[in-house]
């Protein structure tokens, strides 16, 4: 929702923050509101919203799969038709659709992935990442 931050969603977020202690007082709430407004008013909101949704989308897929569900992200849909079918307001962009359920057997074999040093780089593009053993923290 490219407009939610301008009204009720902002107020709900701040109220939730007050309830959990993340937002200390009215002065902190106003500072957060000013900062968020200044930042978001300078963004290409369609791009920003898409990025935020894809972060949440990925976590949703991981969470579903940890509960034994299968997920299938879908592309190639007509946003206007999805919006109409579900009564989604015009200011809200349909970034992605996700099917969640149980896959019917037989399952396809896993096609694999590139190894991490091929796709994760250290400092500069092409400098293969090398795993580092991080010592356990003492509490």
């Amino acid at each position: 929702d490219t407009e939610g931050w301008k009204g009720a969603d902002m107020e709900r977020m701040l109220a939730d923050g007050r309830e959990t202690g993340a937002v200390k007082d009215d002065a902190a709430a106003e500072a957060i509101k000013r900062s968020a407004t200044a930042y978001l008013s300078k963004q290409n909101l369609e791009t920003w919203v898409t990025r935020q949704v894809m972060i949440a989308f990925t976590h949703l897929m991981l969470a579903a799969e940890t509960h034994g569900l299968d997920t299938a992200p879908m592309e190639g849909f007509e946003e206007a038709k999805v919006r109409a079918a579900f009564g989604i307001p015009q200011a809200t962009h349909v970034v992605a659709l996700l099917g969640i359920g149980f896959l019917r057997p037989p399952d396809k074999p896993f096609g694999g992935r590139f190894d991490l040093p091929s796709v994760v780089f250290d400092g500069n593009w092409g400098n293969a990442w090398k795993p580092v053993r991080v010592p356990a923290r003492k509490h």
Side-chain angles (χ1 to χ4, degrees), residues 92 122 133:
T92 302
D122 186 2
R133 183 173 165 85

Side-chain angles (χ1 to χ4, degrees), residues 12-24:
R12 181 177 171 199
M13 181 207 60
L14 293 171
D16 289 350
R18 284 186 186 101
E19 190 174 305
T20 64
V23 177
K24 302 285 183 219

Side-chain angles (χ1 to χ4, degrees), residues 84-109:
F86 292 99
I88 299 170
Q90 190 65 32
T92 302
H93 297 277
V94 181
V95 173
L97 300 174
L98 181 63
I100 301 177
F102 295 102
L103 186 65
R104 208 176 322 165
D107 206 353
K108 280 189 333 189

Side-chain angles (χ1 to χ4, degrees), residues 29-40:
E30 284 305 313
I32 290 167
K33 193 184 294 187
R34 276 193 311 276
S35 178
T37 299
Y39 176 78
L40 291 171

Side-chain angles (χ1 to χ4, degrees), residues 113-138:
R113 298 272 188 259
F114 292 127
D115 62 334
L116 285 177
S118 298
V119 296
V120 178
F121 303 117
D122 186 2
N124 291 310
W125 186 269
N127 289 344
W129 173 73
K130 295 175 187 76
V132 177
R133 183 173 165 85
V134 178
R137 291 176 52 184
K138 294 181 181 177

Side-chain angles (χ1 to χ4, degrees), residues 48-61:
W48 186 84
V49 165
T50 298
R51 290 177 179 154
Q52 302 310 306
V53 167
M54 295 316 293
I55 293 168
F57 195 83
T58 302
H59 286 284
L60 178 59
M61 290 175 67

